[in-house]
Amino acid sequence: MSTIAAFYGGKSILITGATGFMGKVLMEKLFRTSPDLKVIYILVRPKAGQTLQQRVFQILNSKLFEKVKEVCPNVHEKIRAIYADLNQNDFAISKEDMQELITCTNVVFHCAATVRFDDPLRHAVQLNVTATQQLLLMASQMPKLEAFIHISTAFSNCNLKHIDEVIYPCPVEPKKIIDSMEWLDDAIIDEITPKLIGDRPNTYTYTKALGEMVVQQESGNLNIAIIRPSIVGATWQEPFPGWVDNLNGPSGLIIAAGKGFLRAIKATPKAVADLIPVDTVVNLTLAVGWYTAVHRPKSTLVYHCTSGNLNPCNWGKMGFQVLASFEKIPFERAFRRPYADFTTNNFTTQYWNAVSHRAPAIIYDFYLRLTGRKPRMTKLMNRLLRTVSMLEYFINRSWEWSTYNTEMLMSELSPEDQRVFNFDVRQLNWLEYIENYVLGVKKYLLKEDMAGIPEAKQHLKRLRNIHYLFNTALFLIAWRLLIARSQMARNVWFFIMWFHFFLQAFCHQEARSDFHTAHVL
């Protein structure tokens, strides 16, 4: 029996961000390995006219939870959805619900955050800093609380080259930032944002660093740990390979490349693509929850959940594997044949954006107008290029993360726990993982049927033929215009034609000679 799985048996667990990508996988793993847990509290905000119960029902009826229903048939009864809004004071939780949370909670997993790179600072501070502070205040009132696990990001200190498993201070205290957000207007906040974030690329990484400082300062007597995952991708093994349900990280790029929208990207091919499967992060998170509660470390430990230092894969290799996967698993109704190249400077990036991205979008929109339809491709392409530009910082750099605490924890686990809660990324086969990732994007994000693969391959062949015909026609037109204007071009053309006929005559003569020799023999 797994010691970690047994620990969560009978526990009341609070998860923030449970409706997000990682939150869902965390819930699934808990129910599958510890079906006798008491209850999982999830903070949920109704959206799109759905009630809390409808949102929970939608989550549990996804393919992700199919195995859970086999080992925990009454899973619906073990989820307690509580109305909450992390943008409000005290999360707008009712007094009755708040009392239940404070009285009963044994373990807190704080996964909620805004992961948008272009979020205004006010909103990013509210969700990533203020909400963390308020949750810690709640946790300090929980008499039965055994562990508080805060999910941060490995890029919270991306302004450094080498990052240790420690909490780094920010120039301005989090409390001052939180207070200033209450009285400064949006225009002033937008003006001072670049100065505050300094050499970090966006408000996300900055506010996650502030959130870690809040955890350190407000921890009190709580048993707290911080987990820093790098770029979180599709599942590796559990509950099955390739599951993904959002466009964050590589998923959006895979769709853009697979559909033929993205043909060039500014990236450093030799830079390490520090991708980590979501189930690896979840396994480490549950192991950290157990260790923090049982061993009660004297200080707040930070755990890096990264792949680059143990099993590196660079962006060039990853891009090649993604394109190779498209040959086996093409997406339906592609705009162009999948192809992507890396550019290394701003000039070539701007050139390919104009020639390979914006120009085809404008031509396609012109076609849509001619056929009486609403143009949409230029708008879509501009959004894609804006998103890609926000990722350039991360795909042109490599970082070194120390993993002493993560390796220490692995050594503390029994062989059974190492098997059930495997977070050893050295066992990851990148070729197999990337192929399953592309397959998962096709099945679970794009909702495409595998039976449509033969037709998708035929569609790509047609696109290839159209591409060759278009390029040939373009070359002939350009050459014809050049011949009309240049005597040298005409001379070159006549030489090529003479050489072509000479070569044909020579080959024909050789073929006749070979035939005659063969006939004589």
Side-chain angles (χ1 to χ4, degrees):
M1 175 68 179
S2 164
T3 306
I4 297 175
F7 166 76
Y8 290 106
K11 293 290 191 293
S12 297
I13 301 165
L14 169 61
I15 301 177
T16 68
T19 59
F21 177 45
M22 183 179 162
K24 292 174 187 175
V25 180
L26 178 60
M27 273 201 300
E28 191 278 339
K29 179 76 174 192
L30 276 167
F31 281 126
R32 182 161 46 84
T33 56
S34 304
D36 56 341
L37 62 81
K38 187 175 181 181
V39 65
I40 292 182
Y41 297 108
I42 62 173
L43 304 185
V44 185
R45 184 176 61 179
K47 72 171 187 177
Q50 288 183 313
T51 63
L52 301 186
Q53 290 71 27
Q54 286 173 331
R55 290 196 70 183
V56 171
F57 184 82
Q58 186 179 31
I59 292 170
L60 293 180
N61 278 276
S62 67
K63 184 173 176 60
L64 179 68
F65 284 84
E66 284 183 355
K67 291 184 179 180
V68 165
K69 292 176 183 177
E70 297 174 7
V71 297
C72 186
N74 61 335
V75 61
H76 289 83
E77 301 170 10
K78 288 179 177 279
I79 291 186
R80 170 93 158 81
I82 292 177
Y83 173 84
D85 184 352
L86 270 61
N87 288 301
Q88 304 296 324
N89 290 331
D90 294 328
F91 302 154
I93 299 174
S94 69
K95 289 184 179 180
E96 295 78 11
D97 289 340
M98 182 67 79
Q99 187 59 41
E100 183 178 349
L101 287 175
I102 290 174
T103 304
C104 302
T105 302
N106 301 119
V107 181
V108 174
F109 293 108
H110 182 34
C111 306
T114 174
V115 297
R116 289 181 55 184
F117 289 172
D118 59 345
D119 238 1
L121 184 60
R122 185 194 299 278
H123 189 247
V125 167
Q126 175 60 41
L127 289 181
N128 294 345
V129 188
T130 308
T132 300
Q133 184 186 54
Q134 292 181 339
L135 189 64
L136 285 164
L137 178 62
M138 281 176 55
S140 67
Q141 304 171 58
M142 298 175 176
K144 297 181 180 179
L145 187 67
E146 299 176 47
F148 184 107
I149 310 303
H150 175 70
I151 308 299
S152 184
T153 172
F155 298 101
S156 58
N157 301 287
C158 59
N159 53 321
L160 304 176
K161 173 69 176 175
H162 179 87
I163 304 167
D164 287 317
E165 291 171 306
V166 298
I167 298 171
Y168 293 89
C170 293
V172 183
E173 284 289 313
K175 289 181 180 179
K176 292 183 179 179
I177 298 293
I178 293 171
D179 292 341
S180 66
M181 292 298 117
E182 294 180 0
W183 59 271
L184 288 176
D185 61 37
D186 291 340
I188 295 177
I189 292 174
D190 291 343
E191 185 178 340
I192 65 173
T193 293
K195 296 177 183 178
L196 286 173
I197 66 176
D199 49 1
R200 288 183 173 86
N202 51 50
T203 58
Y204 168 68
T205 56
Y206 174 63
T207 54
K208 291 301 280 185
L210 288 174
E212 291 183 6
M213 287 187 66
V214 166
V215 170
Q216 185 181 48
Q217 294 172 354
E218 308 281 338
S219 59
N221 296 321
L222 298 174
N223 296 322
I224 296 186
I226 296 173
I227 297 173
R228 291 179 180 157
S230 51
I231 304 169
V232 181
T235 55
W236 168 21
Q237 296 171 318
E238 299 179 83
F240 46 83
W243 186 82
V244 62
D245 78 337
N246 68 27
L247 295 172
N248 295 332
S251 306
L253 293 180
I254 288 173
I255 291 177
K259 290 287 189 178
F261 296 118
L262 185 65
R263 305 300 291 272
I265 185 170
K266 186 182 179 185
T268 304
K270 292 185 178 180
V272 174
D274 211 296
L275 185 62
I276 195 79
V278 64
D279 49 331
T280 303
V281 183
V282 163
N283 286 340
L284 175 62
T285 300
L286 293 174
V288 168
W290 161 79
Y291 184 83
T292 305
V294 173
H295 293 271
R296 306 171 74 87
K298 293 180 181 180
S299 61
T300 299
L301 295 184
V302 177
Y303 299 84
H304 282 153
C305 191
T306 56
S307 61
N309 55 325
L310 298 173
N311 187 4
C313 180
N314 62 47
W315 287 110
K317 180 180 177 182
M318 190 167 289
F320 178 81
Q321 290 174 351
V322 168
L323 290 175
S325 298
F326 290 147
E327 295 294 323
K328 300 179 185 177
I329 317 161
F331 295 161
E332 296 175 7
R333 297 183 298 278
F335 178 59
R336 289 177 293 185
R337 279 183 64 81
Y339 175 78
D341 200 3
F342 292 128
T343 61
T344 55
N345 58 67
N346 289 330
F347 176 78
T348 53
T349 301
Q350 293 302 323
Y351 171 79
W352 285 114
N353 281 345
V355 172
S356 196
H357 294 140
R358 291 193 173 93
I362 292 170
I363 293 170
Y364 187 72
D365 276 348
F366 180 69
Y367 164 74
L368 290 177
R369 282 193 176 93
L370 288 178
T371 54
R373 287 176 286 178
K374 185 179 179 180
R376 62 181 187 276
M377 190 57 66
T378 302
K379 185 178 180 181
L380 176 66
M381 191 64 72
N382 287 335
R383 283 177 56 193
L384 172 62
L385 294 178
R386 189 164 57 249
T387 300
V388 169
S389 69
M390 288 189 288
L391 298 175
E392 286 179 0
Y393 180 93
F394 302 95
I395 56 181
N396 283 281
R397 290 169 172 81
S398 297
W399 288 267
E400 298 169 0
W401 287 280
S402 64
T403 54
Y404 300 118
N405 290 338
T406 304
E407 291 176 39
M408 174 277 296
L409 178 60
M410 193 180 300
S411 68
E412 290 285 328
L413 303 187
S414 67
E416 178 66 7
D417 281 331
Q418 289 182 4
R419 183 187 66 83
V420 178
F421 296 90
N422 178 28
F423 53 87
D424 187 359
V425 76
R426 289 171 293 192
Q427 301 172 17
L428 178 64
N429 181 312
W430 284 110
L431 180 61
E432 183 181 287
Y433 176 71
I434 293 300
E435 190 168 311
N436 285 329
Y437 200 146
V438 173
L439 182 61
V441 167
K442 180 179 176 67
K443 290 172 67 175
Y444 308 118
L445 264 183
L446 297 176
K447 311 292 185 185
E448 294 182 359
D449 193 343
M450 299 304 292
I453 286 181
E455 172 55 33
K457 288 183 177 180
Q458 287 298 319
H459 178 67
L460 292 185
K461 286 182 180 178
R462 289 193 291 271
L463 289 176
R464 180 192 61 193
N465 294 338
I466 291 171
H467 173 74
Y468 289 157
L469 285 172
F470 178 80
N471 283 353
T472 302
L474 195 64
F475 171 77
L476 290 175
I477 291 170
W479 185 250
R480 184 67 186 87
L481 292 173
L482 189 62
I483 287 175
R485 294 174 178 270
S486 169
Q487 181 62 43
M488 181 178 289
R490 283 196 292 271
N491 292 339
V492 171
W493 175 253
F494 291 139
F495 173 76
I496 291 173
M497 295 302 294
W498 172 83
F499 185 74
H500 171 72
F501 288 124
F502 171 78
L503 197 61
Q504 264 193 331
F506 177 78
C507 292
H508 182 64
Q509 183 62 34
E510 285 293 308
R512 287 184 60 186
S513 175
D514 290 344
F515 175 78
H516 178 71
T517 303
H519 182 69
V520 170
L521 292 174

